[in-house]
Amino acid sequence: ATDDPNDLAKFRFGDIDVPAGGFVIAFASGKDRPGSNAEAAHTSFNLSGDGEYFALVQPDRTTIEFAFTPQMPAQAADVSFGLNFVGNTVQPGTQAFFVNPTPGDVNDQGATIEAVQFSVVSGTFSNSFQLSLSTVSPNADIYFTLDESLPTTSSSLYSGPITISATTMVRAIAVESGLAAGPVASETYVKLASDLDSFSSDLPVIVLDNFNSGSVPNNVKQHAFLGLFEPDDITGRTMLDSAAAITTRSGIKIRGSSTQNQPKKNFSVEFWDEQNEDRSLDVLGLPSDADWVLHAPYHFDRALIRNPFIYELSNQTGRYAVRTRFVEVFVNTDGGDLSYADNYNGVYVLMEKIEAGNDRIDIENLSPTDLAEPEIGGGYVVKIDRLDPGDDGFVGGGIRMGFVDPNEEELAQVQIDWIKQYFDDFDNALDGPNFTDPQLGYANYIDVDSWIDHSILNVLMKNVDALRLSTYMFKSQDGKIEAGPIWDFDRSADSYDGRDNAPDTWKGTGDATDYFTWGWWDRLFDDPNFWQRWVDRWQSLRQTVLSTANMHAVIDGMATELTESAVRNYDRWGSVPPRDGSLQGEIDHLKQWISDRADWIDSQVVARPTFNQNGGLVSPGFEVTLASVASEIFYTLDGSDPRLPGGGVSSAAMSFGGTFFDTPLITQGSVWRYLDDGSDQQDAWRQVGFDDTAWQSGQAQLGYGNNGEVTTVSFGPNSSDKHITTYFRKTIDVQDVHEITALTLGVVRDDGA
């Protein structure tokens, strides 16, 4: 079975015996369960209630046995749709809605029902017109409403064309004697004011109209019409008097926390069918879904692109972040004709909502009946953020979190307890004595690479709210906790927040998040291998996605899209002007800050060696030379890592420093002298001839014993009696000092050195 004509092998049924004249019930749930005689099949895809392609395919995966042609129509709640059979024969042209749904039996042999047809489809208009309603059956009566309510047999009976002279939603049903009412159908017509006659844009345009319902609420979704208009293929211009690409009923509400009171509102948008249920639609080339966000860059992000910029970089690294499109938006909440003067709201970013789904966070659909392992193991999407109204959230691993998908009211208590315990187990392993062990420690519970990428992207942008707010995590059924998708970067990269100004410090000022100590991250960075993986990943990404050239190209590409529309946006919101009076001023500033930031991070870690030539085909006798700014270089020729866990150097590694040495001068495990008695040694201890034979000695690494050090230095009678200063000495014998080109000492520390 498939919902994609280009992928006929999308889902394969399991071994199911079907007797002659028998039936099989399968669920288009997206759970991807092949099914058997004992268990119902669940396809790997969902079917859109708005209608889409569906086919059954022969086992050869190429021969279509049956397909709805050209596709299934939009469906109605509690109304069956299918093929009309007489005996075992499909009747020509009898794909139909049925009065009585009959799963597990032959389709209803009674009469079918139909939807009302409209003479004009949804869209905009400037002059009054006559709207006609009709049905195929001459015996059907049509009932309609003009106030957005559901039509019933008590509504107005259609007897002739309806005059449309103002913004109006028309909803209608067909009723025939002896049959159930047909599905509800509706169309919406938005009246344009004269100041939109000449309006055009090079971006798509979204129109929201709530039919004079006043302010949009922030706690419940309010009914509204949504129309999406796209640039013409020939002219490249979007005109509001042209046919809309999408028109739909929708539910909208104000979203955001600190931004709720800003005049340019952020909106949560849900596409609705006629029963106010989710209606999935393809939007501007993005995968079909019902849930979307209209993000309103305003005071903090006057470059208008901070969120889409970092989301694009995340997707380029292979870490899913919501995909985005720039649009201009009109919002009419006061009734009257749609006008530029009263309803233009500026540049917005249409974004996917964070949720589970095949085309979003690709994890299993957790149902309330999944109460035992392995099903109870996923999928979960949770957040560290302010809780949604009415939610209690849960405390897992010492941190309060909220549920995202499924939401809290959709979960059974046993599922809430399960995921809480998983976070507790992670926290216990992280705080345990074996926390660095891949099987016994934290790595048994989290996807380490995803956590490192999450950290790097937040550190790069200096996101002041990172990790403690707007932070998402998810877990699939058989997987570990993954960090992300990243979210909410309007206060970052020298925005107008103020805490994120300096590119040359790790964290922002004031109460900005300390990325290396907040919550679980303090202990994670206690593991030198975690920190080393962070550095490795940073340096790797700097060659590709996070190269200055690529980041600047992404910024420039987005700026080009907004060149025209940004002028209208700044004119609409004149109280928050851009730097130097233009979008380009903001873009130039952002590019400079990003490059300065990346360069500064580069300077804080030991640079990777450079090769005289990158890998590839070479001529016989080719010699490789390595160079490094300030470090001795160790290398291997067998593909192994020259480093040991914990920061040491592998015994298989060779040193390159102008002259090849058989072994490194100082290695992991070498013996050092140390003094930790609280005394002040002044300067004598630094001299070459100083007698340190009375000092204690131990193998590197040396420390207080809480980071897996080989040697624990002595301190007072109590473990808390740690002296301010500990002295370390190492003597090195060298045959010819002139052969030494560099000497590097590595210090792993969490305080001062």
Side-chain angles (χ1 to χ4, degrees):
T2 184
D3 66 343
D4 183 352
N6 297 314
D7 184 5
L8 299 184
K10 195 165 188 179
F11 173 76
R12 187 181 183 94
F13 284 96
D15 294 329
I16 303 174
D17 296 325
V18 185
F23 299 88
V24 171
I25 297 177
F27 297 90
S29 66
K31 291 185 176 181
D32 196 14
R33 299 174 184 170
S36 65
N37 290 334
E39 181 183 25
H42 289 255
T43 65
S44 58
F45 53 85
N46 301 107
L47 289 174
S48 170
D50 200 50
E52 66 169 304
Y53 182 83
F54 175 75
L56 295 174
V57 183
Q58 288 279 7
D60 62 10
R61 304 187 183 191
T62 58
T63 304
I64 297 175
E65 177 67 21
F66 167 80
F68 282 113
T69 305
Q71 66 173 29
M72 293 172 58
Q75 301 296 292
D78 301 321
V79 175
S80 172
F81 177 80
L83 303 180
N84 199 357
F85 285 80
V86 173
N88 292 322
T89 304
V90 177
Q91 297 303 294
T94 56
Q95 297 181 18
F97 294 99
F98 295 95
V99 175
N100 299 310
T102 55
D105 202 348
V106 294
N107 289 342
D108 190 306
Q109 296 298 305
T112 60
I113 53 181
E114 56 184 301
V116 176
Q117 305 297 313
F118 291 70
S119 62
V120 180
V121 298
S122 292
T124 59
F125 68 99
S126 298
N127 300 310
S128 301
F129 67 93
Q130 299 294 301
L131 173 69
S132 297
L133 308 179
S134 62
T135 64
V136 174
S137 171
N139 299 319
D141 290 324
I142 298 173
Y143 295 88
F144 68 94
T145 64
L146 302 178
D147 61 359
E148 300 93 58
S149 63
L150 279 170
T152 68
T153 53
S154 297
S155 303
S156 299
L157 177 65
Y158 177 77
S159 59
I162 304 167
T163 300
I164 304 297
S165 58
T167 296
T168 306
M169 175 179 286
V170 183
R171 306 183 76 185
I173 55 171
V175 178
E176 191 166 350
S177 178
L179 299 178
V184 177
S186 70
E187 301 287 354
T188 301
Y189 310 101
V190 176
K191 178 76 178 298
L192 298 179
S194 58
D195 64 356
L196 286 175
D197 289 345
S198 60
F199 173 81
S200 72
S201 174
D202 59 351
L203 290 181
V205 176
I206 288 178
V207 172
L208 294 174
D209 195 308
N210 69 355
F211 307 99
N212 198 25
S213 295
S215 298
V216 179
N218 59 15
N219 54 350
V220 295
K221 288 189 172 67
Q222 178 187 74
H223 171 239
F225 164 79
L226 182 144
L228 171 65
F229 299 80
E230 296 185 30
D232 179 78
D233 290 340
I234 298 175
T235 66
R237 308 299 300 176
T238 299
M239 308 288 291
L240 290 182
D241 60 358
S242 61
I246 290 176
T247 59
T248 183
R249 302 178 69 253
S250 64
I252 61 174
K253 70 175 183 178
I254 303 297
R255 64 167 288 114
S257 179
S258 60
T259 60
Q260 282 197 7
N261 294 323
Q262 73 181 29
K264 186 182 182 184
K265 304 296 185 184
N266 293 276
F267 296 100
S268 176
V269 178
E270 186 174 83
F271 298 157
W272 283 354
D273 64 15
E274 297 297 339
Q275 308 300 322
N276 294 359
E277 300 293 338
D278 283 2
R279 180 191 184 193
S280 293
L281 295 172
D282 298 323
V283 182
L284 299 176
L286 299 174
S288 179
D289 208 282
D291 297 308
W292 304 87
V293 170
L294 280 171
H295 166 61
Y298 181 66
H299 170 70
F300 297 112
D301 178 19
R302 302 184 199 182
L304 310 176
I305 70 168
R306 279 173 171 79
N307 276 308
F309 165 66
I310 194 63
Y311 298 161
E312 171 62 19
L313 294 185
S314 181
N315 282 310
Q316 288 186 16
T317 69
R319 299 289 172 196
Y320 167 76
V322 299
R323 288 156 289 205
T324 66
R325 296 291 185 270
F326 293 113
V327 296
E328 290 188 90
V329 173
F330 287 80
V331 182
N332 188 1
T333 61
D334 299 325
D337 298 347
L338 186 76
S339 74
Y340 184 85
D342 296 332
N343 306 129
Y344 177 73
N345 238 48
V347 170
Y348 277 70
V349 183
L350 176 71
M351 308 192 305
E352 296 172 321
K353 179 183 176 182
I354 290 181
E355 62 183 2
N358 293 341
D359 295 309
R360 294 193 177 178
I361 301 176
D362 191 8
I363 56 176
E364 299 84 0
N365 178 21
L366 184 71
S367 74
T369 58
D370 293 330
L371 304 179
E373 296 188 15
E375 288 82 7
I376 197 173
Y380 299 88
V381 183
V382 300
K383 65 179 179 178
I384 302 173
D385 201 1
R386 299 176 180 92
L387 297 179
D388 295 333
D391 281 2
D392 296 323
F394 70 102
V395 177
I399 295 177
R400 179 163 292 280
M401 289 172 274
F403 291 101
V404 178
D405 196 6
N407 61 45
E408 189 167 322
E409 66 180 18
E410 294 172 325
L411 288 165
Q413 186 60 47
V414 65
Q415 294 169 324
I416 295 175
D417 294 341
W418 192 95
I419 192 63
K420 167 182 164 49
Q421 187 61 53
Y422 193 92
F423 274 97
D424 286 342
D425 292 343
F426 156 58
D427 188 57
N428 290 334
L430 184 62
D431 286 337
N434 300 308
F435 81 108
T436 64
D437 187 283
Q439 280 73 47
L440 302 177
Y442 65 84
N444 191 40
Y445 295 91
I446 67 170
D447 183 289
V448 176
D449 289 338
S450 75
W451 284 58
I452 288 173
D453 283 357
H454 190 80
S455 172
I456 285 174
L457 293 172
N458 277 286
V459 170
L460 168 67
M461 295 291 284
K462 208 172 192 179
N463 184 1
V464 298
D465 289 333
L467 312 182
R468 59 198 173 103
L469 289 171
S470 299
T471 296
Y472 290 81
M473 293 169 286
F474 61 93
K475 184 189 178 304
S476 62
Q477 191 175 103
D478 299 321
K480 303 175 183 179
I481 302 168
E482 295 196 41
I486 58 171
W487 186 253
D488 194 10
F489 281 72
D490 57 336
R491 298 173 187 250
S492 71
D494 197 12
S495 68
Y496 287 77
D497 176 274
R499 292 171 290 175
D500 54 349
N501 292 354
D504 57 352
T505 61
W506 282 117
K507 60 163 287 188
T509 56
D511 65 345
T513 301
D514 189 327
Y515 315 107
F516 302 102
T517 64
W518 191 89
W520 301 308
W521 297 89
D522 187 14
R523 185 67 165 162
L524 288 171
F525 280 104
D526 276 348
D527 180 3
N529 294 315
F530 186 89
W531 172 239
Q532 186 62 65
R533 287 173 71 170
W534 195 102
V535 173
D536 289 350
R537 179 62 167 165
W538 166 260
Q539 292 178 329
S540 174
L541 289 174
R542 282 288 280 154
Q543 308 303 308
T544 55
V545 175
L546 300 187
S547 69
T548 300
N550 183 64
M551 291 191 290
H552 282 185
V554 172
I555 292 172
D556 286 338
M558 291 181 174
T560 298
E561 285 189 68
L562 297 177
T563 300
E564 174 191 319
S565 57
V567 175
R568 288 189 288 266
N569 180 85
Y570 296 138
D571 182 60
R572 172 66 178 87
W573 305 109
S575 62
V576 286
R579 286 180 175 93
D580 301 327
S582 69
L583 173 65
Q584 194 59 50
E586 288 287 347
I587 294 301
D588 291 344
H589 184 86
L590 179 60
K591 288 171 63 177
Q592 185 62 55
W593 191 94
I594 286 291
S595 62
D596 290 346
R597 176 69 168 166
D599 289 345
W600 182 82
I601 296 174
D602 286 342
S603 73
Q604 300 305 296
V605 298
V606 177
R608 301 201 306 181
T610 58
F611 291 72
N612 63 320
Q613 179 175 316
N614 292 330
L617 297 175
V618 296
S619 302
F622 175 79
E623 292 185 351
V624 176
T625 59
L626 309 175
S628 178
V629 175
S631 303
E632 183 176 10
I633 302 172
F634 293 91
Y635 70 95
T636 61
L637 299 176
D638 60 1
S640 63
D641 194 326
R643 302 165 302 184
L644 291 174
V649 179
S650 168
S651 60
M654 294 168 281
S655 173
F656 184 93
T659 299
F660 285 94
F661 294 94
D662 293 334
T663 58
L665 298 180
I666 305 175
T667 63
Q668 172 82 2
S670 61
V671 176
W672 289 67
R673 296 280 188 178
Y674 66 92
L675 180 69
D676 187 48
D677 61 3
S679 62
D680 183 354
Q681 292 294 303
Q682 300 296 321
D683 293 332
W685 75 283
R686 300 180 181 178
Q687 305 307 312
V688 173
F690 178 77
D691 183 4
D692 60 13
T693 55
W695 289 18
Q696 292 181 280
S697 62
Q699 288 183 306
Q701 298 173 193
L702 300 89
Y704 287 131
N706 60 356
N707 280 325
E709 291 91 351
V710 176
T711 300
T712 301
V713 301
S714 60
F715 37 81
N718 300 309
S719 61
S720 60
D721 297 336
K722 299 176 182 177
H723 298 121
I724 294 176
T725 303
T726 302
Y727 301 90
F728 297 91
R729 282 178 51 88
K730 174 68 178 176
T731 299
I732 305 168
D733 292 326
V734 179
Q735 296 297 318
D736 183 356
V737 72
H738 299 292
E739 292 183 348
I740 305 301
T741 59
L743 177 63
T744 300
L745 302 181
V747 180
V748 179
R749 50 93 178 139
D750 55 12
D751 288 307

